[in-house]
Amino acid sequence: MKREIVAGSVLAVALGVGGWASTNTDGSDGASTMPMVVGADVPEAELVQGALFIELDQDAVLVPAARPAGLKQMGTAGTADGAHVVYFWPKTTGVEVFALFDDEPVAMCAGGENDVDDDSGLLCVRNGKVGDRHVAIYFSADGDTAEYSTAAVEKMREFWATTPLVAPSAAPWFTELTARGHAAEG
């Protein structure tokens, strides 16, 4: 049975928690295992902080093998109907990238890749299976779907549609960020 994920609820979870993990993968309150807060003196502090949150969910999510161009911020956005949600925000566009990972097919991209949902305005860029995880990657332009037709977003779409997705511990760019965060813990 496919899990039904309503686009609005996923965005509400993602945007409502502002990137801070709301629950642990076991469903308990996220406050018990939150990583330390990275100080502004740490280079790329926002990315480092996001990497530490993603690291908490590393058994349930994947990240790009190569660092996305212009990446400004990333993190977890909790879960939506059992799917783990991770976001990646680039510096160069008004488009946010959301990735959903689940054990079952994700209904988010039911219309197919390169389809814009008429109700939500979300653009599906990838829908399939990577290893044992079902993956849906979509873009949100905060209601401005004209943003999807820019050259910068087309490059992003190409990257996210084809880039290999790997465990966080297998992505050198990601492990470098988490190492910085752990070093800051002192």
Side-chain angles (χ1 to χ4, degrees):
M1 171 190 219
K2 286 188 175 183
R3 294 183 190 225
E4 296 300 318
I5 298 177
V6 178
S9 67
V10 172
L11 283 178
V13 169
L15 300 176
V17 298
W20 300 97
S22 58
T23 58
N24 296 327
T25 54
D26 65 1
S28 63
D29 182 354
S32 63
T33 58
M34 287 182 54
M36 52 80 79
V37 175
V38 175
D41 59 324
V42 174
E44 298 183 298
E46 286 182 291
L47 281 176
V48 171
Q49 187 72 63
L52 292 173
F53 275 105
I54 292 170
E55 185 180 47
L56 292 176
D57 243 358
Q58 68 182 331
D59 293 334
V61 302
L62 302 170
V63 298
R67 182 174 171 164
L71 187 62
K72 177 182 178 183
Q73 190 177 25
M74 64 181 172
T76 59
T79 59
D81 194 24
H84 296 268
V85 182
V86 178
Y87 69 86
F88 301 89
W89 291 342
K91 296 177 185 177
T92 55
T93 72
V95 172
E96 296 119 354
V97 179
F98 291 89
L100 282 71
F101 302 94
D102 202 349
D103 294 330
E104 298 182 34
V106 178
M108 178 60 68
C109 289
E113 293 174 10
N114 299 313
D115 180 58
V116 177
D117 182 272
D118 292 333
D119 295 327
S120 67
L122 301 176
L123 170 66
C124 177
V125 296
R126 187 171 188 170
N127 187 24
K129 199 167 180 185
V130 177
D132 64 348
R133 306 296 296 163
H134 290 273
V135 179
I137 298 177
Y138 63 94
F139 291 178
S140 171
D142 202 21
D144 183 9
T145 57
E147 183 81 29
Y148 296 145
S149 61
T150 66
V153 172
E154 185 54 40
K155 285 179 104 170
M156 283 176 51
R157 184 189 316 211
E158 189 175 314
F159 174 83
W160 285 100
T162 61
T163 192
L165 298 172
V166 299
S169 61
W173 70 273
F174 186 88
T175 57
E176 191 275 326
L177 290 171
T178 57
R180 262 195 262 162
H182 293 299
E185 289 177 308

